[in-house]
Amino acid sequence: MVLENVVVQFFQNYHMNRILVPLNQGKEVEIVSDQLKKELVNERNIHINSQPITSFQYYAGGMGVLFLLMTVVFLVGSMIEEKEEEVYKRLLVSKLSNTSYIIGKLLGIILMSMIQLAVIILFTSFVFKVNWGEPFTVVMIGCSFILNAAGFGVLIGSFINREKTFNSVGILGTQVLAALGGSMVPLYLFPQWVMNISYFLPNSLALQMFLKSMAGADFSEIQSGLLLSCGMGMAFFIIALLRMSFERKHRYA
């Protein structure tokens, strides 16, 4: 990064000198003024209440999202354990519908994840003085991410029948998602194609919304992200429901 800044500064100074040198050589001022009109720096508007993100804020959000992913993996593991210990088969012969089963698992994951999110936010707020932003906005971001992650976890759990297999895949997948989602290092350090992929990861989407909230964004500025996150969660939930209905019809009918 230091080398990059040195090189960029050198080329900026070179370009500026290349424009200003004709003034000392008696050339027309109009030509120089036209060159000076070219933008040397890209500008963008920022929110009037925007604040710089501190390292504590960034990694509080990054580690909070990572821990929530791990919680979802642990809770979905209990769902896989039911399949392995024949509890799931007993539930299938009862009057319990697939929709009730999936909703029950989803609500349990959401409830436990909400408790953990509350602990993370309160602890970092009081101990490390981390400002997460407006409470309502933070709660909505947390709910949308938990719905997204829980739906994704239940979907994966509907395809796997071995707890050990799921735990191995879940732990590895959590680390990969955390790395690609910016929980370990900022996203701008990655190549552009990795950044493009990360925008559609549940944890990366939640982290970016948390960072916007910490920077002073209001609810209206993150509405699109909330809708996308909730939509992804509902899509995962519907696919998991269809998958379990298909399995029940062809295997346990």
Side-chain angles (χ1 to χ4, degrees):
M1 292 176 65
V2 174
L3 179 60
E4 180 183 5
N5 290 331
V6 172
V7 174
V8 170
Q9 185 177 6
F10 170 78
F11 277 104
Q12 287 178 345
N13 291 336
Y14 171 79
H15 186 58
M16 183 63 69
N17 290 331
R18 182 170 170 269
I19 295 174
L20 295 177
V21 162
L23 289 175
N24 298 326
Q25 297 178 353
K27 293 186 177 181
E28 296 182 1
V29 179
E30 289 78 6
I31 298 177
V32 178
S33 62
D34 291 338
Q35 292 181 347
L36 288 175
K37 291 179 181 178
K38 297 180 180 179
E39 293 185 0
L40 300 180
V41 179
N42 293 326
E43 298 180 357
R44 67 182 182 92
N45 295 326
I46 61 175
H47 195 273
I48 190 172
N49 296 323
S50 293
Q51 302 173 1
I53 301 296
T54 65
S55 58
F56 273 110
Q57 285 179 304
Y58 185 90
Y59 283 106
M63 293 298 104
V65 170
L66 173 59
F67 289 146
L68 287 175
L69 280 178
M70 296 176 66
T71 301
V72 171
V73 170
F74 174 77
L75 295 174
V76 175
S78 64
M79 174 181 171
I80 308 301
E81 187 178 5
E82 289 181 357
K83 288 186 177 182
E84 198 170 2
E85 295 181 354
E86 307 298 330
V87 177
Y88 179 64
K89 292 182 180 180
R90 296 175 183 176
L91 293 174
L92 290 179
V93 298
S94 66
K95 295 182 179 180
L96 182 67
S97 64
N98 293 327
T99 304
S100 299
Y101 179 78
I102 291 292
I103 291 178
K105 291 298 179 183
L106 194 65
L107 291 178
I109 294 174
I110 291 176
L111 177 61
M112 295 301 297
S113 300
M114 287 297 295
I115 294 174
Q116 179 164 353
L117 177 63
V119 172
I120 292 173
I121 293 177
L122 292 176
F123 181 82
T124 54
S125 298
F126 287 104
V127 177
F128 299 112
K129 308 301 180 183
V130 173
N131 180 18
W132 289 79
E134 297 180 359
F136 176 76
T137 302
V138 174
V139 171
M140 294 303 297
I141 295 173
C143 291
S144 65
F145 169 63
I146 290 172
L147 176 62
N148 194 349
F152 183 71
V154 171
L155 173 62
I156 299 300
S158 66
F159 284 91
I160 300 178
N161 297 319
R162 295 288 181 180
E163 183 184 8
K164 292 183 179 179
T165 303
F166 178 78
N167 288 336
S168 301
V169 174
I171 293 174
L172 177 61
T174 299
Q175 300 302 319
V176 173
L177 289 176
L180 295 178
S183 293
M184 299 180 180
V185 293
L187 285 176
Y188 66 81
L189 297 178
F190 290 101
Q192 185 61 42
W193 64 271
V194 177
M195 296 174 60
N196 294 335
I197 294 175
S198 67
Y199 293 145
F200 297 96
L201 299 178
N203 56 313
S204 176
L205 183 60
L207 178 58
Q208 298 308 312
M209 288 191 291
F210 275 129
L211 293 179
K212 288 182 179 180
S213 175
M214 293 175 181
D218 55 20
F219 180 76
S220 60
E221 296 181 68
I222 60 171
Q223 270 187 330
S224 58
L226 289 174
L227 294 176
L228 177 60
S229 185
C230 293
M232 291 172 61
M234 293 303 299
F236 293 145
F237 170 76
I238 294 174
I239 296 174
L241 180 60
L242 294 176
R243 158 66 184 171
M244 295 195 70
S245 299
F246 177 83
E247 183 182 30
R248 184 173 188 172
K249 179 178 180 181
H250 290 80
R251 181 175 297 184
Y252 303 106

